[in-house]
Amino acid sequence: MIPVGKILRYLTNSGSISDDLSVHNWLESNQDNLRELDIYENIWNNTDQLKDFKVFDVDSEWQSFVAINDISADTNVSNDTLSQPVPAPKKEAKVIQLDSKKVIAPEIEVEDEKSTVIETPQIAVTSKKRSYILPLSIAASLLLLVGSYFTIFSGQDMPTPEPQLVYQVITTTDTPQTVTLEDGTIISLKENSELKYPESFAGLEERNIELNGSGTFKVTRNPDIPLVVEAGNTEVKVLGTTFVIDMGTEEEIEVENIEGIIKFYEAGNEENGHLLTEGQKMVHSGEGFTDITEEEIEEVKPLKGHTISHILNHLNLVSDGKMYPSPKLKYDKYKRFEINLYQDIESILMELSLEAEINYIQKDCDICREITEFKAVK
Amino acid sequence: MGKPDHLDKSYQTSEEFEALFKTYFNPLCNFAYKYLKDWEDAREVVQETFTKVWSNRQNINVHTSIQSYLYQATKNSVIDFVRKSQKKTKNEADIIRAKEDALSNDKDGLGSLMIKQAILQAMDKLKPKNKEIFRLNKLEGLTYREIASHLDISERSVEDNISRALKILKEELEKNENLF
């Protein structure tokens, strides 16, 4: 499974060429993935217009509808159905308060004559429930007393209060930053990263910190209190060592161990973790763990040609934004064109014209064009 | 959802009809608003549509899906409403005709509106921070950079949150086999 982040970047046209290639490889690896992408795209496109979707309170609308229409009298219901209460969950909920007055009052109160047919069996049902209320009240009171006894007198059953932790959060934008923790551990935080850590590790069984982004950790050794770094849905546990965590996204976490031994595992599943020795590098993605020590660069299956999206991005880039797709432009995102993009714009367009039909609106300058149509020549 | 498609076989009891009403009320109101441009009118039209369906439920036989049936029934109600409410000056008669044409040619169906409703409901499944970031981006229209600055987090964190939200929404929406 491909990380959703890559799909998101693909849908928002904000991904790198490598991201786009990953998505295309994923699409070509299995026909079902096309449907997956369509669903993602369908949801994403609909979220763009969410703010225009008005939501009426359907419960009160239904009440208005019931008031206008003769629902109960007109309903073609059997006796069995009549014994079922009309949906009135708020009234029903009061039964659990073990207060007979509160149970009965709202059920008997028939405000609308039309609902009499339904309401009558409801009263019968409620009366039945009332017969349980006294024993239930006694039972509840006993439970309360027994519970109170254990709470007051059985100190060992009381939960041990956890130490109050005060956290620090460091966020970097364009500049890396070095952070030193209370125990002397040094973390070099890279750009656009975030680190959350407790001000003090006193009284803790683990030194838990959270990372979102990339950082190098030089951990002060403490065999009694391991340091655990939570990164996305993975964790890295160490006693004392130096290692690097680099989150491509929250779903693609790369860990490189520089010295010592560390354990890299999915959060909450330490048994199935991997011990990384010095120099070892491992990545965790939706497909699980992959050792990338030997081949650091993912071998990308070469695809023939470029997608329209890629070509449009390239034209936009090399024209300094002067050539751009119309917001209304629709195109086949899976269609590829085998053309050489490493030439001037006019040559690219010339080569494309053999395979594609491209229409545009000429703007102010020579290469200022709004592309309105881009489709393969049949 | 697993709802039968024939009104003559289901939706006869108030409980069944209530479920039908609550499922489709908002998508139909949003559809009606597209042509009426007034939420109160849209609401009124949809209430009337359901009233007609309820009154005739024993005689209605739906040949397509209940969703298509309600969509078509609301379309007809909107046309009736427009005809009744507009004054018949020549100019207004032209507007009515244009609206009728647009309505007759409307083939969008309720699919997209049902998905929007499902997304809004599924957003409750998101964790608070996740939901807030997704809301700021999609409902408030803030960019990743603006959200990052507003919440004092990195842009990467914003993107991760949006990705996670998208994944969860997809999982939630796929539980409803009628949506896609």
Side-chain angles (χ1 to χ4, degrees), chain A residues 157-320:
Chain A
D157 288 345
M158 290 171 70
T160 312
E162 291 187 0
Q164 285 290 319
L165 292 179
V166 179
Y167 285 94
Q168 289 281 347
V169 178
I170 305 287
T171 305
T172 60
T173 51
D174 298 333
T175 317
Q177 192 176 335
T178 301
V179 181
T180 305
L181 307 186
E182 183 220 22
D183 64 344
T185 294
I186 297 168
I187 300 160
S188 302
L189 208 54
K190 288 194 179 170
E191 298 89 344
N192 296 318
S193 299
E194 188 177 287
L195 185 76
K196 183 179 173 185
Y197 60 94
E199 277 187 346
S200 167
F201 296 118
L204 298 177
E205 292 179 355
E206 282 181 343
R207 293 172 281 173
N208 288 300
I209 58 182
E210 289 175 32
L211 172 74
N212 198 340
S214 305
T216 302
F217 294 72
K218 193 170 172 55
V219 180
T220 302
R221 188 170 172 75
N222 185 343
D224 298 326
I225 312 177
L227 183 128
V228 179
V229 184
E230 185 186 324
N233 52 2
T234 65
E235 288 180 354
V236 176
K237 185 182 261 190
V238 295
L239 300 177
T241 181
T242 304
F243 63 97
V244 181
I245 297 180
D246 185 5
M247 296 170 69
T249 67
E250 190 149 320
E251 294 163 346
E252 193 174 274
I253 295 115
E254 187 180 302
V255 174
E256 181 183 8
N257 188 19
I258 295 172
E259 63 178 70
I261 294 178
I262 62 173
K263 193 169 191 181
F264 186 26
Y265 53 94
E266 286 180 359
N269 192 11
E270 192 177 340
E271 291 75 25
N272 295 323
H274 295 263
L275 288 174
L276 270 63
T277 52
E278 280 181 19
Q280 200 173 356
K281 206 171 181 180
M282 191 167 269
V283 67
H284 179 271
S285 65
E287 293 159 1
F289 291 94
T290 313
D291 192 325
I292 54 169
T293 311
E294 295 302 322
E295 37 180 13
E296 292 184 9
I297 300 167
E298 187 188 349
E299 194 178 326
V300 180
K301 193 171 109 190
L303 288 174
K304 286 185 178 177
H306 309 279
T307 60
I308 295 178
S309 160
H310 185 184
I311 294 167
L312 288 170
N313 278 340
H314 183 81
L315 289 172
N316 186 257
L317 193 70
V318 296
S319 68
D320 287 331

Side-chain angles (χ1 to χ4, degrees), chain A residues 1 4-9 11-12 14 35-36 38-40 42-65 68-72 74-77 81 84-87 118 169 171-174 191-194 212-214 246-251, chain B residues 12-15 17-19 21-23 25-27 29-30 33 39-40 42-43 46-52 54-55 57-58 111-117 119-120 123 129 134 137-141 144-145 152-164 166-167 169-171 173-174 179-180:
Chain A
M1 179 62 198
V4 181
K6 288 193 177 183
I7 293 178
L8 177 67
R9 288 195 285 275
L11 293 175
T12 52
S14 61
R35 184 180 137 69
E36 286 276 300
D38 276 345
I39 293 175
Y40 273 119
N42 201 341
I43 293 173
W44 187 252
N45 291 342
N46 273 296
T47 59
D48 285 337
Q49 302 135 20
L50 272 187
K51 62 178 179 298
D52 299 326
F53 190 91
K54 186 172 172 70
V55 180
F56 289 94
D57 177 0
V58 287
D59 289 324
S60 63
E61 290 300 331
W62 172 251
Q63 290 308 320
S64 304
F65 182 80
I68 295 165
N69 296 279
D70 198 1
I71 297 287
S72 52
D74 203 6
T75 308
N76 181 18
V77 286
T81 314
Q84 310 258 335
V86 158
I118 301 292
V169 178
T171 305
T172 60
T173 51
D174 298 333
E191 298 89 344
N192 296 318
S193 299
E194 188 177 287
N212 198 340
S214 305
D246 185 5
M247 296 170 69
T249 67
E250 190 149 320
E251 294 163 346
Chain B
Q12 297 293 324
T13 68
S14 60
E15 283 181 334
F17 200 81
E18 182 182 355
F21 181 97
K22 290 183 175 177
T23 302
F25 188 83
N26 277 317
C29 280
N30 280 269
Y33 176 80
W39 286 112
E40 194 46 44
R43 190 188 147 276
V46 175
Q47 280 277 2
E48 274 178 23
T49 306
F50 274 110
T51 297
K52 284 179 202 162
W54 174 253
S55 317
R57 68 192 181 282
Q58 282 161 343
S112 175
L113 294 166
M114 295 299 289
I115 289 173
K116 286 186 184 75
Q117 174 171 257
I119 291 171
L120 286 168
M123 277 174 67
K129 185 181 171 192
F134 189 77
N137 182 237
K138 305 307 293 188
L139 293 172
E140 304 290 331
Y144 288 2
R145 187 178 289 270
D152 201 20
I153 56 175
S154 65
E155 282 184 55
R156 185 202 293 262
S157 182
V158 174
E159 192 195 68
D160 282 343
N161 272 279
I162 305 266
S163 300
R164 202 179 314 136
L166 182 61
K167 187 179 179 184
L169 291 178
K170 177 175 170 280
E171 285 167 2
L173 265 62
E174 277 187 313
L179 279 181
F180 299 109

Side-chain angles (χ1 to χ4, degrees), chain B residues 126-143:
Chain B
L126 303 177
K127 288 181 180 169
K129 185 181 171 192
N130 208 202
K131 183 178 177 181
E132 174 65 1
I133 290 173
F134 189 77
R135 192 189 65 77
L136 288 171
N137 182 237
K138 305 307 293 188
L139 293 172
E140 304 290 331
L142 267 61
T143 62

Side-chain angles (χ1 to χ4, degrees), chain A residues 128-180:
Chain A
K128 242 180 160 182
K129 282 175 187 164
R130 187 168 56 154
S131 65
Y132 293 109
I133 286 167
L134 184 60
L136 275 174
S137 302
I138 295 166
S141 305
L142 281 172
L143 275 172
L144 201 64
L145 277 173
V146 173
S148 305
Y149 173 83
F150 279 106
T151 307
I152 295 165
F153 297 106
S154 178
Q156 59 190 9
D157 288 345
M158 290 171 70
T160 312
E162 291 187 0
Q164 285 290 319
L165 292 179
V166 179
Y167 285 94
Q168 289 281 347
V169 178
I170 305 287
T171 305
T172 60
T173 51
D174 298 333
T175 317
Q177 192 176 335
T178 301
V179 181
T180 305

